[in-house]
Amino acid sequence: MSLNEPKVLRRDAAQNRERLLDAAERVFTDYGMDASVDEIARVAGVGMGTLYRRFPTKDALISALVRKLLNDLVVIANAARDRTDGRGLEQLLYGTGEVIASQRGCLPRLWNDEETKALKAEYWRIVTELLIAAKAAGRIREDLTDTDLEVLFWAMRGVVETTRGVVDTAWKRHLALSIAGMRPGAEELVEAPLDERLAVQARTRLHSSGRNAETAAANQPPG
């Protein structure tokens, strides 16, 4: 046995993993998250045994996709922290929109995947920091909350999913209009912001609806 053989195997395993993630992103984007892992393996050009060695369950594959996306978001968030003019939050919002629009396959699980809580916590910690800086710089109204921003991300996902393949940049106008409403001096808000308790309920419902859709699709007879 060659001494180099284990390294070749590790490299092949890493390549297969990336091939499967890329295939899953394309398949989930085209057919939704109810698409079968058989189709993902076919698009990746690997056997089912290879898929299950890398990802023992479909959930594991989805969580890996979400982790990849969240890693991108954390990089964007950290880059936005370098701004000293209070515009870091706006930079983060547009950067997040670009990522969401370009990596659409796992959006239904982005904010409610159970395996990536630490990454989400890091991302939201930076979002909160940038929100405070934007308020201090007079860029954002004082009554805006982090849950307001979370709802904005939910809305952005809806715009991206609804307009994909028609006007893929529609989310940018929606975001620009939203940011305009966040400016100091905009009209007073009548509705109270979503508190954390209600936000948790909304996340749970979003998570449950995504799970139910996947389960229903999985249980459908072929044909």
Side-chain angles (χ1 to χ4, degrees), residues 8 12 17 26 72 110 133 140 165 183 194 196 216 220:
V8 172
D12 287 349
R17 186 178 190 279
R26 294 198 301 274
D72 290 344
L110 174 58
I140 297 294
R183 297 287 185 220
L194 201 67
E196 183 58 27
Q220 277 188 340

mmCIF file of all heavy atoms in Angstrom, residues 8 12 17 26 72 110 133 140 165 183 194 196 216 220:
data_model
loop_
_atom_site.group_PDB
_atom_site.id
_atom_site.type_symbol
_atom_site.label_atom_id
_atom_site.label_comp_id
_atom_site.label_asym_id
_atom_site.label_seq_id
_atom_site.Cartn_x
_atom_site.Cartn_y
_atom_site.Cartn_z
ATOM 1 N N VAL A 8 -4.795 10.553 -0.583
ATOM 2 C CA VAL A 8 -5.627 10.580 -1.788
ATOM 3 C C VAL A 8 -7.080 10.315 -1.429
ATOM 4 O O VAL A 8 -7.989 10.971 -1.905
ATOM 5 C CB VAL A 8 -5.112 9.551 -2.810
ATOM 6 C CG1 VAL A 8 -6.084 9.432 -3.974
ATOM 7 C CG2 VAL A 8 -3.739 9.949 -3.307
ATOM 8 N N ASP A 12 -10.210 12.731 -1.988
ATOM 9 C CA ASP A 12 -11.382 12.280 -2.732
ATOM 10 C C ASP A 12 -12.657 12.456 -1.906
ATOM 11 O O ASP A 12 -13.704 12.857 -2.434
ATOM 12 C CB ASP A 12 -11.225 10.810 -3.117
ATOM 13 C CG ASP A 12 -10.212 10.611 -4.238
ATOM 14 O OD1 ASP A 12 -9.814 11.618 -4.841
ATOM 15 O OD2 ASP A 12 -9.827 9.455 -4.480
ATOM 16 N N ARG A 17 -17.659 15.318 -0.998
ATOM 17 C CA ARG A 17 -18.520 16.100 -0.101
ATOM 18 C C ARG A 17 -18.934 17.411 -0.759
ATOM 19 O O ARG A 17 -20.112 17.788 -0.739
ATOM 20 C CB ARG A 17 -17.799 16.362 1.216
ATOM 21 C CG ARG A 17 -18.666 17.034 2.274
ATOM 22 C CD ARG A 17 -17.886 17.217 3.566
ATOM 23 N NE ARG A 17 -18.761 17.636 4.646
ATOM 24 C CZ ARG A 17 -19.170 18.883 4.852
ATOM 25 N NH1 ARG A 17 -18.777 19.841 4.019
ATOM 26 N NH2 ARG A 17 -19.971 19.179 5.850
ATOM 27 N N ARG A 26 -28.236 22.828 -6.048
ATOM 28 C CA ARG A 26 -28.914 22.948 -7.338
ATOM 29 C C ARG A 26 -30.259 22.223 -7.327
ATOM 30 O O ARG A 26 -31.270 22.761 -7.791
ATOM 31 C CB ARG A 26 -28.025 22.386 -8.461
ATOM 32 C CG ARG A 26 -26.760 23.173 -8.712
ATOM 33 C CD ARG A 26 -26.161 22.859 -10.070
ATOM 34 N NE ARG A 26 -25.829 21.452 -10.237
ATOM 35 C CZ ARG A 26 -24.680 20.899 -9.851
ATOM 36 N NH1 ARG A 26 -23.762 21.648 -9.252
ATOM 37 N NH2 ARG A 26 -24.436 19.617 -10.061
ATOM 38 N N ASP A 72 -20.851 31.885 5.353
ATOM 39 C CA ASP A 72 -20.754 33.032 4.445
ATOM 40 C C ASP A 72 -21.344 34.287 5.093
ATOM 41 O O ASP A 72 -20.786 35.391 4.972
ATOM 42 C CB ASP A 72 -21.485 32.745 3.137
ATOM 43 C CG ASP A 72 -20.774 31.707 2.274
ATOM 44 O OD1 ASP A 72 -19.586 31.437 2.543
ATOM 45 O OD2 ASP A 72 -21.401 31.177 1.346
ATOM 46 N N LEU A 110 -32.976 27.923 6.904
ATOM 47 C CA LEU A 110 -31.855 28.799 7.248
ATOM 48 C C LEU A 110 -31.890 29.262 8.690
ATOM 49 O O LEU A 110 -30.893 29.185 9.412
ATOM 50 C CB LEU A 110 -31.829 30.006 6.302
ATOM 51 C CG LEU A 110 -30.784 31.084 6.623
ATOM 52 C CD1 LEU A 110 -29.379 30.482 6.635
ATOM 53 C CD2 LEU A 110 -30.871 32.224 5.606
ATOM 54 N N ALA A 133 -24.614 50.503 16.556
ATOM 55 C CA ALA A 133 -23.725 51.478 15.914
ATOM 56 C C ALA A 133 -24.494 52.357 14.927
ATOM 57 O O ALA A 133 -24.237 53.571 14.828
ATOM 58 C CB ALA A 133 -22.591 50.745 15.202
ATOM 59 N N ILE A 140 -30.236 54.970 11.699
ATOM 60 C CA ILE A 140 -31.397 54.111 11.889
ATOM 61 C C ILE A 140 -32.225 54.645 13.051
ATOM 62 O O ILE A 140 -31.679 55.126 14.052
ATOM 63 C CB ILE A 140 -30.951 52.658 12.172
ATOM 64 C CG1 ILE A 140 -30.193 52.076 10.977
ATOM 65 C CG2 ILE A 140 -32.134 51.765 12.522
ATOM 66 C CD1 ILE A 140 -31.018 51.897 9.723
ATOM 67 N N GLY A 165 -36.094 33.587 -11.010
ATOM 68 C CA GLY A 165 -36.341 33.218 -12.398
ATOM 69 C C GLY A 165 -37.176 34.229 -13.154
ATOM 70 O O GLY A 165 -37.338 34.117 -14.361
ATOM 71 N N ARG A 183 -35.179 54.844 8.568
ATOM 72 C CA ARG A 183 -34.449 56.087 8.812
ATOM 73 C C ARG A 183 -35.097 56.906 9.924
ATOM 74 O O ARG A 183 -36.328 56.923 10.081
ATOM 75 C CB ARG A 183 -34.404 56.938 7.535
ATOM 76 C CG ARG A 183 -33.677 56.303 6.373
ATOM 77 C CD ARG A 183 -32.192 56.303 6.597
ATOM 78 N NE ARG A 183 -31.510 55.797 5.395
ATOM 79 C CZ ARG A 183 -30.469 54.993 5.422
ATOM 80 N NH1 ARG A 183 -29.981 54.600 6.586
ATOM 81 N NH2 ARG A 183 -29.912 54.589 4.311
ATOM 82 N N LEU A 194 -42.182 42.828 17.339
ATOM 83 C CA LEU A 194 -42.317 41.440 17.759
ATOM 84 C C LEU A 194 -41.357 41.203 18.924
ATOM 85 O O LEU A 194 -40.158 41.436 18.786
ATOM 86 C CB LEU A 194 -41.955 40.527 16.585
ATOM 87 C CG LEU A 194 -42.465 39.092 16.581
ATOM 88 C CD1 LEU A 194 -43.974 39.056 16.442
ATOM 89 C CD2 LEU A 194 -41.819 38.327 15.420
ATOM 90 N N GLU A 196 -39.407 38.763 21.837
ATOM 91 C CA GLU A 196 -38.684 37.514 21.660
ATOM 92 C C GLU A 196 -39.591 36.301 21.830
ATOM 93 O O GLU A 196 -39.450 35.295 21.126
ATOM 94 C CB GLU A 196 -37.506 37.442 22.636
ATOM 95 C CG GLU A 196 -36.635 36.204 22.477
ATOM 96 C CD GLU A 196 -36.039 36.043 21.088
ATOM 97 O OE1 GLU A 196 -35.850 37.061 20.382
ATOM 98 O OE2 GLU A 196 -35.795 34.891 20.689
ATOM 99 N N ALA A 216 -44.550 15.307 4.072
ATOM 100 C CA ALA A 216 -45.661 15.001 3.172
ATOM 101 C C ALA A 216 -45.128 14.589 1.804
ATOM 102 O O ALA A 216 -45.611 13.645 1.182
ATOM 103 C CB ALA A 216 -46.575 16.215 3.051
ATOM 104 N N GLN A 220 -45.328 10.763 -0.315
ATOM 105 C CA GLN A 220 -46.125 10.645 -1.540
ATOM 106 C C GLN A 220 -45.681 9.425 -2.334
ATOM 107 O O GLN A 220 -44.479 9.144 -2.441
ATOM 108 C CB GLN A 220 -45.930 11.892 -2.412
ATOM 109 C CG GLN A 220 -46.821 13.056 -2.011
ATOM 110 C CD GLN A 220 -46.702 14.172 -3.030
ATOM 111 O OE1 GLN A 220 -45.771 14.253 -3.784
ATOM 112 N NE2 GLN A 220 -47.696 15.036 -3.038
#
